[in-house]
Amino acid sequence: MNGTRVFESLNAEWDVVCAEPGHAETVLGWLREGGIPLADTATAGGLSEVLAELGRRGRAQGRGHSDRWLRVLLERAGGEGAGALLAARVVVQAMVPAAMRLTRRLQAGRDFDETGQVVLACLFQVVRCFPLGRTSGAAANLLLETLHLASRELKAEGAEYDVVLYPFLDEVLVGEPAVDDPAEAVWAGVLGQRAVQAGLLRDGEGIDGARGELVELLVWAVDAGRMDVGRARLIAEETRAGAQRAGVSAVAWRKRRSRAVRQMRAVAEQWVQAA
């Protein structure tokens, strides 16, 4: 696939890791020692099948199961030697889909593969140094720490080339994400926090669906200097479901909405060019 060479290379490397004799049995042994038993048949398809089985169980049993087996491997990944590198590599591979989504979020104004290289390097570093004192949310915290580290590095690089990134991406969230997808949970958290700070969301208002896309675009426009925060708040208010137009004629209301659409179209074009 064009523009995803860094992840294609990672997957090709994963095939080599899976082909190494004994890797599947080693990882299966670690999991059993950590109280995550898998059937011997899980090793029949090699290490890739072990990871696939863990994924299936995670979807069936929920985030708690994923947290448990991730922590078993994260404990190993923080050590030394070939075993630690193998454990880290398994965790990184498990996080590849989320890392790809995170790369798209952070891509603004730069090559996808270049951004992906930064994200993957940061992810591997986080996996090797993960703070095991945290009791829950292993997957979400891995992505959160990666977001924190990668955004700082990309922001430093972007300053050299006048690339506009989301300035708030290095903020650390507190609390457990509310959805199952760690990448989306992390992003929704920082986006929602920033939108509230900018006055674009009311208390209790979510950022799902089309509304979330509009809020994300407005946040980017404000932080990138493409729109005044007052104007962004006005658009957010006018486009809110059930927005009141008391004292405003139907003609004036339509003109106001048309003006907002024109401005948002221009901002959206700039956003697409940056991304």
Side-chain angles (χ1 to χ4, degrees):
M1 294 176 61
N2 186 33
T4 59
R5 290 184 300 275
V6 63
F7 288 99
E8 290 174 358
S9 297
L10 190 72
N11 288 331
E13 177 195 278
W14 175 245
D15 290 338
V16 175
V17 173
C18 292
E20 188 70 24
H23 276 181
E25 289 78 7
T26 297
V27 173
L28 197 61
W30 291 339
L31 293 171
R32 286 171 175 165
E33 289 178 19
I36 312 293
L38 294 181
D40 290 334
T41 54
T43 62
L47 194 52
S48 61
E49 179 57 29
V50 173
L51 190 56
E53 176 61 22
L54 289 169
R56 287 190 288 269
R57 291 194 178 193
R59 288 187 290 274
Q61 300 178 27
R63 187 188 304 156
H65 179 271
S66 297
D67 284 343
R68 287 192 296 275
W69 76 257
L70 278 171
R71 290 186 65 81
V72 169
L73 295 187
L74 287 169
E75 289 177 359
R76 299 276 181 175
E80 300 292 338
L85 294 176
L86 174 60
R89 187 62 184 84
V90 175
V91 174
V92 167
Q93 190 65 29
M95 303 298 291
V96 163
M100 290 186 71
R101 289 189 290 273
L102 195 57
T103 297
R104 294 190 185 99
R105 294 293 194 184
L106 294 172
Q107 184 184 354
R110 67 180 71 241
D111 180 76
F112 180 88
D113 281 317
E114 292 177 358
T115 307
Q117 288 173 358
V118 173
V119 169
L120 288 176
C122 291
L123 174 59
F124 189 79
Q125 181 177 341
V126 168
V127 168
R128 293 278 281 154
C129 304
F130 188 75
L132 294 172
R134 296 183 177 181
T135 58
S136 63
N141 281 317
L142 280 171
L143 262 295
L144 180 61
E145 294 293 340
T146 302
L147 171 64
H148 181 79
L149 184 59
S151 62
R152 283 185 178 277
E153 293 201 9
L154 289 170
K155 186 183 296 183
E157 290 182 7
E160 300 179 11
Y161 302 101
D162 194 29
V163 174
V164 177
L165 294 175
Y166 289 88
F168 58 87
L169 285 179
D170 58 353
E171 296 177 8
V172 177
L173 293 180
V174 176
E176 183 77 6
V179 297
D180 290 334
D181 185 331
E184 293 303 314
V186 170
W187 181 259
V190 289
L191 177 60
Q193 184 183 70
R194 184 65 185 92
V196 169
Q197 292 172 350
L200 303 177
L201 287 179
R202 293 176 177 173
D203 290 342
E205 190 174 32
I207 51 173
D208 299 325
R211 183 67 184 174
E213 294 176 0
L214 174 65
V215 169
E216 182 174 353
L217 180 55
L218 289 172
V219 168
W220 178 86
V222 170
D223 284 307
R226 303 303 206 270
M227 183 181 294
D228 178 79
V229 66
R231 179 60 180 155
R233 289 172 182 169
L234 184 59
I235 291 176
E237 181 62 34
E238 291 178 345
T239 56
R240 185 171 282 111
Q244 300 297 313
R245 63 180 196 185
V248 180
S249 69
V251 173
W253 183 259
R254 284 195 297 271
K255 288 182 178 179
R256 182 181 297 179
R257 294 294 292 269
S258 296
R259 184 169 62 252
V261 169
R262 287 196 301 272
Q263 189 168 8
M264 290 304 298
R265 183 180 294 118
V267 170
E269 290 174 355
Q270 296 170 352
W271 192 24
V272 170
Q273 291 172 2

